[in-house]
Amino acid sequence: MSTRFIRVIRKIILHGTALLAVTLQGCVSIPPHETATLPTPDAYKLERTVSAALSSPAFSRGAWPQQDWWRTFGDPQLDKLMDAALAGNPDLRIAEARVRQAEQIAATAHADNFPDVSANGSVTREHFSKNWLIPPQLASGAKTEGQASLDIAYDLDLWNRNRDTYRARLSEAQATAADRAETRLAIGAALARAYFQLNDHLDRLALARDALTQRQALAQLVKLRADHGLDTMAAVKTTDADVARAQADLIALTRAAGDDRREIAALTGEGPDDANKIGTPAIHVDATFPLPESLPIDLLAHRPDIAAQRWRVEAAAREIGVVKAGFYPNINLAASAGVQSIELKDLFKSSSVFSTFGPAIHLPIFHGGRLRAELGASYAEYDMAVELYHRALVNAARQVADQLAAIRSLTQENERQDEALRDSEEAFRIARLRFEKGVANYLTVLQAQRDLLQQRDVNTRLRGARLQAIVGLIRALGGGYAAASPPARS
C-alpha cells in the first residue's frame, strides 16, 4: 500500500471523526418516558390455594406433569391417538413452520451485524457520442468497457440498532417456539377431553340401553295392570312417555359418541371415515392427582403461554432500543477495489486498478415529529406487552385455582353420590328379594331398578366431569413444558 494512499485514509478518518463530533451535537433529543413495570410472580398468591388442595383427599404431593402426561391414564389406544395427533395435526405443523420462519428472520437480522462483501463484474459494448464528454479520438467508434471489483460495506452500528434488532427478532422466535408448545398442549388437551367424553358417552349409552329395557318392561307391566283394573290410563301414558324419553336418550348418546369419534379423528389429522376405527376407551385413573408443592413459585416456568408473552415483552424492549438509535447519526463504511478499463484488452493491467474508501453519515435533524411518534409507538407497544403478560399471569393463577376447586368439589360430590349408589343398589337388592319371597310385586322391583340406573348415570357423569377437570388442571400446569429464561439485557 502506497504512502499516499495511507495519508488519504487517515485524512478521511480524521474528517469523518470531526464530522461525527459536530453531528452528535445536532441529534434530535429523545423525549423521556416511564415504561410499565414488569409484574413479578409474588403478586399472584397461590400458596393457600395449593395448601388447601393438598389437605384434601383429591390430591397428593407429586411432581409436575411430564410432556407425555396422557400415559398416566394407562390406555394404549389413547397413547397411539396422541402420538398420531402430535405427528399429523395440521395446526401443529403450521406452528412448527412459523417457528422455522421466525428463526430465519432472526438469522437475517443477525447478518446485518457483519460486513457485506460482494464481487461484481460487468462488460459493456458502447458507441460513444462525439458531442459528449468522451475525447473525439475515442468517440470515433464502439468500445468494449470492462470492470471487476470487490465491494465491502459495513454499518458501524454505534448505537446498537442492528444488535437490538437481532435480539428483538430472536426473542420473537423464542415466543413463537413457546406458541408451538402451547399449540401442542392445546391439541393434546383437546384430544384427551374428546377421548374422555367418548368414554363417558359410551358408558352412559350402555346404561341408556339398560334403562330402555327396564322402562319397556315397566310399561308392559303397567299396561297389564291397567287391563285388569289395577292401574289407570294416566299411569300407562306416563310409562309410555318414559319409554319414549329413554329411546330419545339412546339416540342422542349414540350421536354424541359419533361426534366424539369424528372429533378425535380430526385432531389426529384423519378423515371422518377413520372415526369408526376408534374403539372403547380403557382408562385407568388414580384416586388422587399429584400436585407439585412448588406450584406457586414455578408456575411461570411451566406455562408456554406465559413464556411466549414474556419473550414478547423482551422483544418490545429491544424495539425501543432500535427506535432510539434512529435519533443518532448512522455511519456506514464503504470500500471498493478492482480493475476497470475502457478497452477490454487493458482490463487486467496494473494501470487499470482502482480503489475507493469512505464513510457515509446520516444525521436526523428534522422529520416532522416522525421519530418521536415512532418512539412513542414503541413505548406503547412495550406497555401493552407488559399488560398482556400481566393478564396471562392473572389468567394462569385463576385457571389453576378453578381446576383445583373443581377437582376438590367433584371428588367430594363423587363420595356422596357413591353413598347414594350403594343405597340404590341395596334398595334394588331388597326389592328383588321381597319379590322372590312373594311379599312385594314386580312393579316395586322395576321402580327400584329405574332409580338404580338413574343413580349410575349420575355417577358416570360425575366421573367424566372429574376426568375433564384433571385434563384442565394438567393444561393449567403447562403439560410438562419448561420455559427458557429471557436473556439479561446488555
Side-chain angles (χ1 to χ4, degrees):
M1 187 178 294
S2 66
T3 304
R4 182 186 175 193
F5 184 68
I6 293 175
R7 285 202 301 268
V8 171
I9 291 177
R10 286 177 176 173
K11 189 177 294 186
I12 290 173
I13 294 175
L14 180 62
H15 290 166
T17 304
L19 180 59
L20 176 62
V22 172
T23 55
L24 282 175
Q25 298 183 10
C27 294
V28 180
S29 61
I30 298 177
H33 179 81
E34 186 173 341
T35 55
T37 303
L38 196 66
T40 62
D42 298 338
Y44 310 94
K45 302 296 184 182
L46 274 172
E47 286 85 354
R48 291 183 180 178
T49 301
V50 174
S51 178
L54 287 172
S55 66
S56 76
F59 300 97
S60 61
R61 286 172 171 78
W64 288 87
Q66 299 298 311
Q67 283 211 327
D68 57 350
W69 49 266
W70 55 87
R71 300 189 189 280
T72 60
F73 295 101
D75 189 330
Q77 181 177 231
L78 176 59
D79 296 344
K80 291 179 181 178
L81 290 170
M82 198 69 74
D83 291 341
L86 297 180
N89 188 281
D91 287 339
L92 189 55
R93 290 181 177 179
I94 292 170
E96 289 169 349
R98 285 175 177 158
V99 171
R100 295 195 302 271
Q101 181 188 46
E103 289 173 346
Q104 294 310 308
I105 291 174
T108 301
H110 190 229
D112 291 337
N113 292 288
F114 300 95
D116 187 3
V117 181
S118 59
N120 299 286
S122 65
V123 176
T124 306
R125 181 72 176 174
E126 185 173 357
H127 185 280
F128 297 105
S129 169
K130 292 182 179 181
N131 300 317
W132 191 236
L133 301 178
I134 305 301
Q137 62 270 25
L138 298 177
S140 57
K143 302 291 183 182
T144 301
E145 305 173 20
Q147 178 171 319
S149 65
L150 184 67
D151 302 321
I152 302 175
Y154 181 56
D155 185 353
L156 291 183
D157 196 26
L158 298 177
W159 318 110
N160 292 331
R161 181 189 60 189
N162 294 339
R163 275 165 281 190
D164 280 339
T165 299
Y166 165 61
R167 288 165 181 162
R169 300 293 87 77
L170 197 60
S171 294
E172 289 170 357
Q174 293 280 10
T176 307
D179 286 338
R180 175 184 57 189
E182 175 66 17
T183 300
R184 184 182 188 276
L185 178 57
I187 291 170
L191 178 59
R193 286 182 183 278
Y195 193 75
F196 295 158
Q197 190 166 274
L198 173 63
N199 181 71
D200 178 54
H201 285 150
L202 290 177
D203 285 347
R204 293 182 61 206
L205 188 60
L207 289 172
R209 293 192 183 99
D210 292 341
L212 177 59
T213 301
Q214 180 271 334
R215 291 180 187 182
Q216 287 172 335
L218 180 61
Q220 290 175 356
L221 180 59
V222 170
K223 186 175 186 303
L224 183 61
R225 286 170 56 84
D227 291 342
H228 290 80
L230 300 175
D231 234 324
T232 64
M233 287 303 298
V236 172
K237 293 300 181 183
T238 299
T239 54
D240 287 345
D242 286 343
V243 170
R245 278 192 289 269
Q247 291 170 333
D249 289 343
L250 196 63
I251 294 171
L253 288 168
T254 302
R255 184 189 68 248
D259 292 343
D260 295 335
R261 285 190 167 102
R262 285 186 290 274
E263 182 180 358
I264 292 169
L267 287 167
T268 59
E270 302 291 343
D273 289 346
D274 293 298
N276 296 325
K277 301 177 184 177
I278 302 170
T280 303
I283 304 166
H284 302 286
V285 185
D286 295 332
T288 60
F289 184 84
L291 191 64
E293 291 186 87
S294 62
L295 193 155
I297 300 173
D298 296 338
L299 178 62
L300 305 189
H302 288 271
R303 290 271 304 212
D305 57 336
I306 294 178
Q309 194 52 49
R310 179 65 183 87
W311 281 109
R312 290 192 170 94
V313 171
E314 181 65 22
R318 294 297 182 183
E319 289 292 352
I320 292 175
V322 173
V323 177
K324 281 184 176 181
F327 284 76
Y328 299 105
N330 185 34
I331 302 176
N332 291 279
L333 298 180
S336 180
V339 291
Q340 57 185 187
S341 174
I342 204 170
E343 290 283 359
L344 195 60
K345 62 183 178 63
D346 299 327
L347 181 63
F348 294 104
K349 292 181 178 180
S350 59
S351 57
S352 299
V353 174
F354 79 96
S355 63
T356 63
F357 173 78
I361 301 176
H362 167 75
L363 172 66
I365 297 177
F366 178 74
H367 293 279
R370 179 175 59 83
L371 292 178
R372 289 174 176 265
E374 289 177 352
L375 182 59
S378 66
Y379 280 136
E381 186 73 21
Y382 175 81
D383 292 344
M384 182 170 61
V386 169
E387 294 308 321
L388 289 171
Y389 178 65
H390 181 189
R391 185 178 69 180
L393 292 174
V394 171
N395 288 339
R398 179 185 59 81
Q399 288 164 6
V400 170
D402 286 349
Q403 298 305 322
L404 291 176
I407 294 174
R408 287 181 64 193
S409 174
L410 287 167
T411 300
Q412 293 171 352
E413 192 175 351
N414 264 317
E415 291 174 354
R416 303 287 83 78
Q417 292 294 350
D418 283 343
E419 291 178 6
L421 179 59
R422 288 191 292 270
D423 290 340
S424 295
E425 290 172 340
E426 181 65 13
F428 175 62
R429 188 190 68 80
I430 293 173
R432 188 172 56 186
L433 184 61
R434 285 171 57 83
F435 171 73
E436 292 171 353
K437 291 184 176 182
V439 296
N441 59 34
Y442 192 59
L443 180 61
T444 304
V445 176
L446 291 176
Q447 289 172 338
Q449 185 183 28
R450 180 185 60 185
D451 293 341
L452 174 59
L453 290 173
Q454 289 175 343
Q455 186 60 51
R456 283 176 178 170
D457 185 70
V458 170
N459 284 51
T460 299
R461 281 185 288 173
L462 277 175
R463 286 196 301 271
R466 184 175 181 273
L467 277 173
Q468 296 291 344
I470 288 174
V471 175
L473 180 57
I474 289 172
R475 181 168 184 184
L477 295 178
Y481 174 78
S485 300
R489 294 181 202 169
S490 57

